[in-house]
């Protein structure tokens, strides 16, 4: 049994899909969860769900592509709660289309959101973690697209590959501070993001997954819970695919 009582967790992308399941799972294990998302209209329902869990929590609105807003949010959150024990970067987005058709604006958005957003949130929150000296857990959500490539998701796959390389290097820098940094790579997961895929791609993926079903957001949140917990105290710089066996990377 994983007990996160007394831990404080900051989770991005927490209004939907994997991030929302993660926020609820960490709060169920006893952590106080600061659920962050750009979708401020979901604040009431996210807050109500967290209030029903053991650890409770709150919602904060944040656009992770806005560097100044990240710093202000980190100041506010750590000013009220102290350094986080857990940081989970989940916010992300993509649209499948041929690489040659990607507009400059689309490419910019994909990199800002899926790569630089995680870099900037990590940089803001890791400083108070280091100063606290209490150790911490960082879990960054990448994608199997970043491990094995994905047709029509070329720039996204590059950004998600960057998340893995960044996380491994950060893990090396942070080990002396007892801050573990690990990565979860979801495979196709039943969320609003995946809903946006074409029926043809959805059917092909289902046929290719050994378990013959999509991941649920809870399947992914359970892997994140492990990395965020004291059960992973000696684990850092690692990448875990949660994909029903679709990818089996060495
Ligand atoms: N669903 C899948 O099949 C799948 C597969 C591999 C990886 N992933 C990754 O998992 C993560 C979560 O995806 P999901 O499927 O739960 O998606 P989702 O669309 O259900 O949830 C993503 C959340 O991120 C939030 N968000 C978007 N832009 C933001 C911004 N600028 N600032 C703050 N929040 C923002 C959205 O409002 C939303 O609540 C993403 O990083 C995604 O790339 C998903």
């Amino acid at each position: 049994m994983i007990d996160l009582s007394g831990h404080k967790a900051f989770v991005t992308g927490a209004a939907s899909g994997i991030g929302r399941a993660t926020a609820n799972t960490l709060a169920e294990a006893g952590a106080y969860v600061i659920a962050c998302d750009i979708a401020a209209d979901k604040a009431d329902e996210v807050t109500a769900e967290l209030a029903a869990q053991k650890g409770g929590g709150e919602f904060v609105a944040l656009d992770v592509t806005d560097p100044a807003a990240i710093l202000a949010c980190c100041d506010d959150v750590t000013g009220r709660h102290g350094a986080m024990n857990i940081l989970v970067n989940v916010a992300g987005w993509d649209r499948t289309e041929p690489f040659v058709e990607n507009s400059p604006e689309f490419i910019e958005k994909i990199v800002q959101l899926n790569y630089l957003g995680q870099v900037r949130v990590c940089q803001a929150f890791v400083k108070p973690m280091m100063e606290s000296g209490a150790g911490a857990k960082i879990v960054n959500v990448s994608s199997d697209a970043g491990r094995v490539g994905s047709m029509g998701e070329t720039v996204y796959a590059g950004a998600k590959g960057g998340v893995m390389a960044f996380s491994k290097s950060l893990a090396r820098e942070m080990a002396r501070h007892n801050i573990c940094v690990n990565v979860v790579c979801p495979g196709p997961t039943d969320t609003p993001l995946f809903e946006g895929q074409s029926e043809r791609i959805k059917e092909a993926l289902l046929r290719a997954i050994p378990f013959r079903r999509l991941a649920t957001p809870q399947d992914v949140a359970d892997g994140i819970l492990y990395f965020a917990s004291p059960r992973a105290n000696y684990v850092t710089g690692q990448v875990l695919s949660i994909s029903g066996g679709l990818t089996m990377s060495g």
Side-chain angles (χ1 to χ4, degrees):
M1 143 107 177
I2 289 174
D3 183 9
L4 297 179
S5 301
H7 292 231
K8 292 154 285 180
F10 188 85
V11 181
T12 76
S16 176
I18 294 166
R20 188 149 163 180
T22 299
N24 283 320
T25 300
L26 296 176
E28 184 185 28
Y32 182 84
V33 175
I34 294 111
C36 134
D37 204 288
I38 196 170
D41 58 316
K42 300 274 173 55
D44 288 348
E45 46 187 89
V46 171
T47 310
E49 284 178 12
L50 290 174
Q53 308 294 349
K54 183 176 164 198
E58 64 186 83
F59 181 92
V60 295
L62 175 66
D63 176 354
V64 299
T65 67
D66 181 339
I70 291 171
L71 293 177
C73 176
C74 180
D75 279 354
D76 167 52
V77 167
T78 54
R80 290 186 292 114
H81 298 289
M84 294 295 106
N85 309 98
I86 298 165
L87 166 64
V88 191
N89 277 297
V90 190
W93 177 79
D94 190 27
R95 186 178 66 223
T96 306
E97 66 179 32
F99 172 60
V100 291
E101 291 174 18
N102 290 165
S103 68
E105 296 75 23
F106 176 80
I107 291 171
E108 181 71 22
K109 178 175 176 181
I110 291 296
V111 175
Q112 287 287 340
L113 174 52
N114 294 287
Y115 179 61
L116 289 176
Q118 296 207 11
V119 170
R120 289 173 177 140
V121 171
C122 280
Q123 195 185 39
F125 280 88
V126 86
K127 286 177 186 166
M129 284 174 176
M130 290 163 65
E131 284 161 14
S132 85
K137 301 287 194 302
I138 297 175
V139 188
N140 292 328
V141 172
S142 174
S143 169
D144 269 352
R147 296 191 100 173
V148 298
S150 177
M151 183 113 145
E153 296 190 293
T154 299
V155 177
Y156 172 82
K160 293 295 196 183
V163 164
M164 284 182 260
F166 162 73
S167 301
K168 290 176 186 178
S169 298
L170 186 63
R172 290 184 187 278
E173 281 198 47
M174 288 301 133
R176 76 195 64 175
H177 302 285
N178 207 16
I179 298 172
C180 301
V181 187
N182 291 292
V183 176
V184 166
C185 287
T189 307
D190 192 8
T191 70
L193 179 62
F194 186 78
E195 219 14 70
Q197 297 276 6
S198 75
E199 287 307 317
R200 190 177 56 80
I201 289 177
K202 284 187 209 167
E203 281 164 22
L205 282 169
L206 269 180
R207 273 198 305 275
I209 296 170
F211 280 147
R212 296 285 190 275
R213 68 166 178 86
L214 297 177
T216 63
Q218 189 63 52
D219 289 324
V220 183
D222 286 338
I224 294 171
L225 171 67
Y226 163 67
F227 278 139
S229 80
R231 299 293 172 113
N233 276 353
Y234 194 60
V235 180
T236 198
Q238 303 305 306
V239 178
L240 174 67
S241 284
I242 299 178
S243 61
L246 175 62
T247 52
M248 298 190 185
S249 313

